[in-house]
Structure formats: C-alpha cells, structure tokens
Amino acid sequence: MKTEILRQNQRSWNTVAAHFNGVDALPSFGPFAQTDDELQLFESIQDKKVLDIGCGSGHSLAYMAEQGAAELWGVDFSENQIERASETLQGLQANLHCAAMEEDIDLPRNYFDIVYSIYAIGWTTDLKETLNLIYSYLKPGGYFLFSWDHPLYAHLQSDQGHISLNGSYQEEGMTRYENFKGEDAPVAIPKRKFSTYLNSLIQAGFMIEEVVETDVPNQQKNSETEVSDRYYSLYKAQKFPTTMIIKARKEN
Ligand SMILES: C[S@@+](CC[C@H](N)C(=O)[O-])C[C@H]1O[C@@H](n2cnc3c(N)ncnc32)[C@H](O)[C@@H]1O
C-alpha cells in the first residue's frame, strides 16, 4: 500500500516538476517565512559535506555550493526533478540520486556534516525509516535541519479573513488530492502532528537542538496586509506560522 502511494506520488511529482523550479529553496525555509539570512540556523557551511533530502530542482544545493560546501549530495524520487537539478548544478560536482528518501540506497554512513530537507520530508510514507536512514548518514556531531508545513497550518481554513479549524488535528493519516498544481496528478500527503515529528526524531536517536515556528520576515512584520483566503498568504502568515523548522543533532 505504502509502495503504491509512493509510486503514485512519484508519477505526479514528475508531472508537476516544472511548477517547482527554484520554489522552496534555500535560503528560504518556506512560504512567507524568515529565511536563513535572518534565522542563521545553518552554522558555517564552508568545507562541509551536505546531503539534501528531496532536493527538487537543486537550487538549495546551488546555495550550499555558494556557501562553500565541500561535497554536494542530493536525493529525490522524481526523474524530472533530478534532471532539473543536474541542469541547475551544471559545472559543479554533485552526487544526485533518483530514489525515495525512505529507501536504503547505500548512501555513505557516518559521513555527512549536514543533512537538510526543505519542504520535502513531510512527503515520506515512512517517517521512522526515513529518520533512521538520515541519522545513519550523519557523522557523530553532525545535524539534520528541515522545514515543512506547520502541522496545524494544513488544518486552517480562511473565510473572508476569519480563520477556523478544518477537520481534526487529532487525526493523522493520508489525505488524498486528485489534482496537484492544477494538473491531473493525484497525490497522497501524510498528515502528522507536531509531536509525531518531535517524538520520531527522539526515537531515531536525535537530540533536538532548535525548533522554530516561523514568523513573516522582519520587513513584513508590521506591514498593512490585504485580507486573503489563499492557502499561503501574508495575511495568514502574520497570524500563524506557515512553517516548522527543526534542527536535530546526532551527538558525538
Ligand atoms: C517542494 S519540493 C522541494 C524543493 C527542494 N527542497 C529545493 O530546495 O529546491 C519537494 C520535493 O520532494 C520530492 N519528494 C516527494 N516525496 C519524496 C520521497 N518520498 N522521496 C524522495 N523525494 C520525494 C519531490 O519530488 C520534490 O522534488
């Protein structure tokens, strides 16, 4: 069942890849959220071996290269995204793997200084296995930093600016959508509670170092904003975090 969902999501990501060229890429952590220029969650990237989980079009890896990373590695299950990433990273030495993040593809163990994931980890059909793998890729002392939709954000609906709860935050599990980005591309996205992410990290062996529920960037904090009922809007983001960011370390 999980494999079926994985394959369907993979086909759909191949269909929608063009919509995401450079979207949700570092230094951005997510829509209407502070960037790493403001949050400074990555320590020095200079000479670090980095692995991007769900690397998409490769723009975050390009950012890592600009910051002086020693080795660039990326995993994404969409062939189209990997092709785009190869184009984005042309001229750079990058190890790109077309594979699901929940699959063991024999990436080096105890090797990476930084494993990160920008708006991709929540797609995994097996959070436990994915976090166990990520933990195994990291050197002792290395860290995993990821961003994803704030788990409550997906439950917020807005009607003329009045925000209310849609469905139940208590119910975890797959939500199916027939269309993705307006394309005939059915996807299933797991809904998980905030505590599920935190507890899964702890169970994988991580030490949670920092948790951020994002705010809008400083320069947009007090700006007058038009009421908007769009899924992502500055109006909503000024009231509720769009994104959670978690930094977790594999201890020495
Ligand atoms: C919003 S994009 C990420 C953007 C990217 N992090 C960047 O920095 O440009 C989400 C990515 O996750 C990938 N993805 C979704 N589920 C996945 C899975 N189970 N295993 C590997 N990649 C997956 C998609 O193919 C897509 O490229």
Side-chain angles (χ1 to χ4, degrees):
M1 181 61 182
K2 270 184 187 165
T3 318
E4 234 171 78
I5 290 172
L6 198 57
R7 296 303 156 224
Q8 179 60 66
N9 283 351
Q10 184 179 31
R11 282 195 291 278
S12 293
W13 265 105
N14 277 328
T15 307
V16 302
H19 293 275
F20 285 88
N21 205 11
V23 175
D24 296 331
L26 288 171
S28 167
F29 281 113
F32 300 103
Q34 301 109 313
T35 67
D36 200 51
D37 298 334
E38 200 169 323
L39 294 175
Q40 301 278 307
L41 293 170
F42 284 100
E43 294 145 35
S44 169
I45 291 160
Q46 188 70 42
D47 298 328
K48 298 291 192 288
K49 294 175 185 155
V50 304
L51 168 63
D52 186 329
I53 302 291
C55 63
S57 55
H59 288 81
S60 291
L61 280 167
Y63 173 82
M64 285 285 155
E66 279 165 27
Q67 307 298 311
E71 287 187 26
L72 307 172
W73 294 63
V75 173
D76 199 291
F77 73 172
S78 153
E79 295 90 352
N80 283 356
Q81 291 286 56
I82 288 290
E83 234 171 76
R84 277 163 199 282
S86 309
E87 283 164 22
T88 306
L89 300 167
Q90 232 171 28
L92 295 166
Q93 177 72 31
N95 295 288
L96 301 175
H97 295 269
C98 189
M101 62 179 93
E102 48 275 73
E103 282 169 2
D104 185 354
I105 53 161
D106 271 341
L107 290 176
R109 299 308 210 259
N110 295 307
Y111 186 76
F112 294 96
D113 301 286
I114 304 171
V115 179
Y116 67 92
S117 181
I118 308 300
Y119 263 80
I121 198 84
W123 284 95
T124 183
T125 54
D126 190 337
L127 186 61
K128 183 175 189 287
E129 181 58 15
T130 302
L131 293 178
N132 286 341
L133 284 169
I134 290 171
Y135 188 85
S136 75
Y137 303 146
L138 279 166
K139 274 181 189 166
Y143 64 88
F144 175 43
L145 179 54
F146 74 87
S147 66
W148 180 249
D149 259 346
H150 189 292
L152 194 51
Y153 195 83
H155 288 278
L156 299 184
Q157 63 185 11
S158 177
D159 182 9
Q160 294 177 32
H162 296 288
I163 294 170
S164 59
L165 187 71
N166 180 15
S168 166
Y169 179 67
Q170 303 291 7
E171 278 168 25
E172 301 190 290
M174 289 290 174
T175 308
R176 285 157 207 279
Y177 302 91
E178 283 316 307
N179 303 97
F180 186 26
K181 284 283 167 189
E183 305 269 5
D184 178 15
V187 286
I189 308 181
K191 277 206 170 86
R192 300 183 174 101
K193 292 164 84 169
F194 211 126
S195 54
T196 299
Y197 283 98
L198 297 176
N199 289 324
S200 303
L201 284 161
I202 293 165
Q203 279 151 20
F206 284 103
M207 215 268 294
I208 294 171
E209 209 165 88
E210 192 150 354
V211 176
V212 177
E213 295 180 285
T214 59
D215 202 336
V216 298
N218 257 336
Q219 69 272 20
Q220 292 178 322
K221 226 169 149 61
N222 298 312
S223 58
E224 283 285 317
T225 315
E226 264 178 46
V227 171
S228 166
D229 293 334
R230 289 178 68 90
Y231 185 75
Y232 292 121
S233 71
L234 181 58
Y235 177 81
K236 271 165 94 181
Q238 282 174 333
K239 295 171 175 52
F240 197 88
T242 60
T243 304
M244 66 169 170
I245 309 171
I246 303 182
K247 182 173 181 180
R249 199 172 290 273
K250 177 171 179 173
E251 287 183 287
N252 270 310

